Amino acid sequence: MIVRPRAARPSHDEHKGTPALQPPKCDSLAKLPTQQRGAMFFPKINVKTDPVRRWHRPDRHFFANGACQVLAFAFLERYSDLGFHARWIKPATGYIGNHIFVTDGRNAFDYHGLTTEAYLLSFAFRRARRFFPGWDATLVDLPTEVLISEQRSRQIEGLWLREPKQFLHDALPRARSFLDRFDDIRLRLTASASCT
């Protein structure tokens, strides 16, 4: 299923005067520390082609750029009862900037942690357009099993994912360990429901 991102609250981007996505005002999940909110990782060209250098990047860099699908799978494996599914930010033809996160339609999770989907998309689109003027993307919902299967991922146009064991070491245990840093996400979702 392909869906186009929709704005939660329209506003104007200070630099371009165009409508931009904005996070909802009342959502404790969208309040990330400043150093996390502004982080977008662009690896050196040779990092992705060098399995050793790729593996030894800090966890947030690793799961932001090249292993986001493994983190998404680990989340769906642990929280299969929360109604989340994988969603791919598929850049328009000629652009880079693929990313996979999980969402329940309102909340979202990726290497930043738990936030709202509106905020995650606002951030991703705003930052990508800053580096690549004219950048655009569509959102594609993905079946869970595609996230850890190169063969199945290649059946979806434009997608080609690395399996967890195709990294220097199996990336799935690393993703599960990284997910542990965010405590029990069920509790955070329950707590955020009181904000609405």
Side-chain angles (χ1 to χ4, degrees):
M1 174 180 163
I2 298 177
V3 293
R4 296 291 294 172
R6 58 186 163 84
R9 290 196 166 95
S11 77
H12 292 326
D13 186 319
E14 308 158 345
H15 304 291
K16 298 187 179 50
T18 57
L21 297 174
Q22 294 295 320
K25 291 189 184 220
C26 179
D27 195 330
S28 60
L29 299 178
K31 296 175 183 169
L32 296 171
T34 305
Q35 67 271 20
Q36 288 183 348
R37 220 178 331 179
M40 181 176 253
F41 304 110
F42 292 104
K44 295 178 181 175
I45 303 288
N46 61 354
V47 172
K48 281 187 136 182
T49 59
D50 180 343
V52 174
R53 290 184 73 192
R54 172 183 250 183
W55 183 260
H56 290 289
R57 296 169 73 205
D59 285 341
R60 286 192 65 236
H61 295 229
F62 182 75
F63 292 114
N65 189 283
C68 54
Q69 75 278 9
V70 181
L71 182 60
F73 180 84
F75 182 98
L76 294 172
E77 174 186 64
R78 182 172 298 177
Y79 298 108
S80 60
D81 60 326
L82 294 182
F84 280 74
H85 64 277
R87 185 163 280 170
W88 171 30
I89 300 175
K90 178 184 180 182
T93 304
Y95 290 100
I96 62 172
N98 290 281
H99 186 55
I100 295 174
F101 63 97
V102 296
T103 182
D104 64 0
R106 181 178 184 280
N107 300 294
F109 179 87
D110 73 351
Y111 67 97
H112 284 112
L114 194 61
T115 188
T116 64
E117 184 175 23
Y119 186 84
L120 186 147
L121 293 173
S122 171
F123 172 75
F125 275 66
R126 198 172 54 244
R127 295 290 291 201
R129 287 174 178 157
R130 178 176 162 208
F131 292 103
F132 309 106
W135 187 91
D136 199 16
T138 55
L139 302 176
V140 181
D141 291 338
L142 299 173
T144 303
E145 64 276 2
V146 164
L147 302 174
I148 57 167
S149 171
E150 177 185 5
Q151 181 183 5
R152 287 184 180 176
S153 74
R154 292 189 71 188
Q155 293 172 0
I156 298 172
E157 183 184 347
L159 191 63
W160 188 347
L161 300 176
R162 184 180 297 264
E163 295 180 14
K165 292 186 179 184
Q166 291 176 326
F167 292 89
L168 182 64
H169 304 287
D170 187 347
L172 196 51
R174 183 174 177 178
R176 291 174 181 138
S177 178
F178 183 72
L179 191 56
D180 290 341
R181 297 180 190 176
F182 297 96
D183 299 322
D184 188 351
I185 289 176
R186 274 187 194 85
L187 298 176
R188 293 189 60 202
L189 288 171
T190 304
S192 72
S194 64
C195 180
T196 57

